[in-house]
Amino acid sequence: MTEPLLIERDDAVVTLTLNRPEAMNALDVPLKVALRDTLAMLETDRSCRAVVLAGAGRAFCAGQDLREHVETLHSGRPDPLGTVRSHYNPIAARLGNLPKPVVAAVRGMAAGAGASLAFLSDFRVGGPGTSFLMAFAKVGLAADTGASWSLPRLVGHAKAVELLMLAESVPAPEANRLGLLTKLVDNDEDVLPAAQELAARLAAGPTVAYGAIKRQLSVGDAGTLSEALAAEAQAQSICGATEDHRTATDAFVNKQRAAFVGR
C-alpha cells in the first residue's frame, strides 16, 4: 500500500510530501491522520530543525477529497464536517505553532485546505505554475484549516474577504505581488530544491529563537502592546539561556562566525 505521506530526512531538514498525486494530493482521512500525527511527533524531535511541506506530482494540494466527502454527506452521520475538529483543526494548530521553521514548496495548485496549509507555513516558494484558490465558497462552505486567521495576516482583511468570497484563482505573479509567496522561482522544477535550500539555511540557525519569534508574532499580530511586551520578555528569558545565544555572542565579540546547534 502506498504511504499517504512521505517523510524524508536530510540532516536537520525533514521534508513531508503529500503523496496522492493521482488525486492532486487531495486530503482524505489517511493522509490527514498521517499529517496530523507526524507534525505532533516533529514538535519534540530535536533532530528536526526545519520542515519542508510539499506535494507529489503536478499539484501541491487540491484540498479536501470531495469524493470521500460526498460519501460522508450521504452516510447519515450527524456531523458530516466532523473532520474539521478531528483533523483540520489539530493539523492547523500543530503546523502554525510548530517551534521550528516550515517552508511550503507550492508547486502547482494549492486549493481550499491545501492553500490553508501553505498559508500556515512560515515561507512559501512557488513557480510559474503555482496558483492558489480559496475554493470553500464554491461548495457552499466557509474557510477552515486556519485560513480565517492566516490569510488576513498575509494580505489584509479586505483582500481576504475578496479571495474567500469570490473564490477566484490567484496565479503565481499575483500571488507573489500579494505576499502569498515568499519566493517565486523561474521553473516549476526548481520549487522543491529552492524550498529545501531555504529550509537548510534555516536549519543551521538558532532554532529556539525561531520558535520564539513565531510565538511572539502570534501574540503581537492580534494582542495589545502590553501582551506583546510580555511575550517578548518571556521569549528573551528563554532564548537568553540557550547555548546558541551564549556561543553566538562570544563569536560576535571575537569577530567570528557563529555556529548554531539549535539549543
Side-chain angles (χ1 to χ4, degrees), residues 29-89:
V29 169
L31 178 52
K32 286 181 284 191
V33 168
L35 182 58
R36 180 194 64 191
D37 294 351
T38 300
L39 289 171
M41 177 267 295
L42 292 177
E43 285 179 9
T44 56
D45 183 352
R46 296 184 67 175
S47 69
C48 169
R49 295 172 61 189
V51 174
V52 174
L53 184 61
R58 61 192 178 92
F60 177 72
C61 177
Q64 170 64 34
D65 186 323
L66 291 182
R67 293 183 182 275
E68 179 186 78
H69 185 57
V70 166
E71 293 178 5
T72 303
L73 287 175
H74 291 285
S75 68
R77 297 179 193 174
D79 185 11
L81 270 298
T83 186
V84 173
R85 291 185 177 85
S86 299
H87 304 115
Y88 287 121
N89 282 0

Side-chain angles (χ1 to χ4, degrees), residues 233-252:
Q234 181 186 41
Q236 295 300 52
S237 293
I238 294 170
C239 294
T242 61
E243 179 180 341
D244 278 345
H245 172 62
R246 292 192 298 272
T247 58
T249 302
D250 289 342
F252 180 83

